[in-house]
Amino acid sequence: MIGLGTGRLERIVALGAHCDDIAIGAGGSLLTICDRNPGVRVDALVLSGGGTEREAEERAALAAFCPDADVEVTVLKLPDGRLPAHWEEAKNGLEELRRRTDPDLVLSPRTADAHQDHRGLATLVPTVFRTHLQLEYEIAKWDGDLGKPTAYVPLSPERAEEKVRLLQEHYASQRHRPWYDREAFLGLARIRGIECGQRYAEAFDLKKLTLDLSSKG
């Protein structure tokens, strides 16, 4: 397996259909990015949960997952589970964000995700962020829709544990759910770590990548 870097990251866009999607799918990667790129700008857009307790959870959580970063969080009020019926509002939210930033990296749900909100958001992303590097994160669920990832971000044991701790600390509204526990989060991270020769990792689908293979002398 070849390791590829992105160079310094100055601007990140993180997208979620629901509050907690970003942290579950890419929380360890955000911790890594912000640790290695102090002062990075992180623009997060979440399509649902605006005006509820979940918005407050999301703001506090993303601040914790993005230490030493310049974080801006926008939480819209689209109804959960109804994105296909609110396509224009979702597209408008993405386009408004695009007018404010030209990111080095976009984090989003998987196009192959079984949840209609996740899948719909992922489908919209390349219509707005057309030439940007897009990593699609995964979320385990009862649908059994996990696939074969094409990109990995290794996580140290300490960082994997930190991700789980922050998930448990900041999303009290989700603790009652049977899939929301330490074993689920660390178990998937351990499997993805095995696949890339590390202890733990987060995995992503990577649709398109432009490589510069020219010699730099």
Side-chain angles (χ1 to χ4, degrees), residues 2-184:
I2 298 175
L4 296 176
T6 60
R8 176 168 174 79
L9 297 172
E10 297 183 355
R11 296 174 299 279
I12 304 297
V13 160
L15 304 171
H18 316 99
C19 297
D20 79 17
D21 285 353
I22 296 169
I24 291 173
S29 298
L30 284 175
L31 286 166
T32 300
I33 289 168
C34 293
D35 176 61
R36 297 177 182 175
N37 301 270
V40 62
R41 170 75 179 194
V42 179
D43 285 286
L45 172 65
V46 181
L47 298 184
S48 64
T52 71
E53 66 171 340
R54 302 212 62 198
E55 178 177 357
E57 287 181 341
E58 185 77 337
R59 292 184 179 280
L62 291 181
F65 274 101
C66 302
D68 300 318
D70 178 13
V71 185
E72 180 71 27
V73 180
T74 302
V75 183
L76 304 182
K77 298 181 179 181
L78 275 64
D80 188 356
R82 297 292 187 271
L83 189 148
H86 296 267
W87 198 255
E88 184 174 359
E89 296 164 72
K91 181 73 176 285
N92 288 341
L94 286 172
E95 289 179 339
E96 170 58 29
L97 175 58
R98 177 65 181 90
R99 284 190 285 269
R100 293 189 278 113
T101 186
D102 184 20
D104 302 307
L105 172 65
V106 178
L107 300 169
S108 75
R110 297 171 60 235
T111 309
D113 196 296
H115 194 297
Q116 67 271 21
D117 292 352
H118 300 174
R119 185 172 64 252
L121 173 55
T123 301
L124 279 171
V125 172
T127 72
V128 177
F129 295 94
R130 300 187 64 86
T131 60
H132 299 80
L133 176 61
Q134 179 188 359
L135 293 179
E136 296 184 337
Y137 57 75
E138 58 182 354
I139 296 178
K141 62 181 76 65
W142 73 272
D143 306 82
D145 62 353
L146 296 178
K148 186 176 181 180
T150 51
Y152 298 85
V153 175
L155 303 177
S156 67
E158 295 76 17
R159 185 146 286 151
E161 291 283 359
E162 183 180 8
K163 173 184 175 177
V164 173
R165 178 183 63 80
L166 291 176
L167 285 172
Q168 294 290 356
E169 177 181 339
H170 288 285
Y171 294 105
S173 66
Q174 305 303 299
R175 292 177 193 152
H176 69 284
R177 299 186 182 276
W179 51 267
Y180 197 91
D181 61 29
R182 169 188 168 83
E183 288 180 322

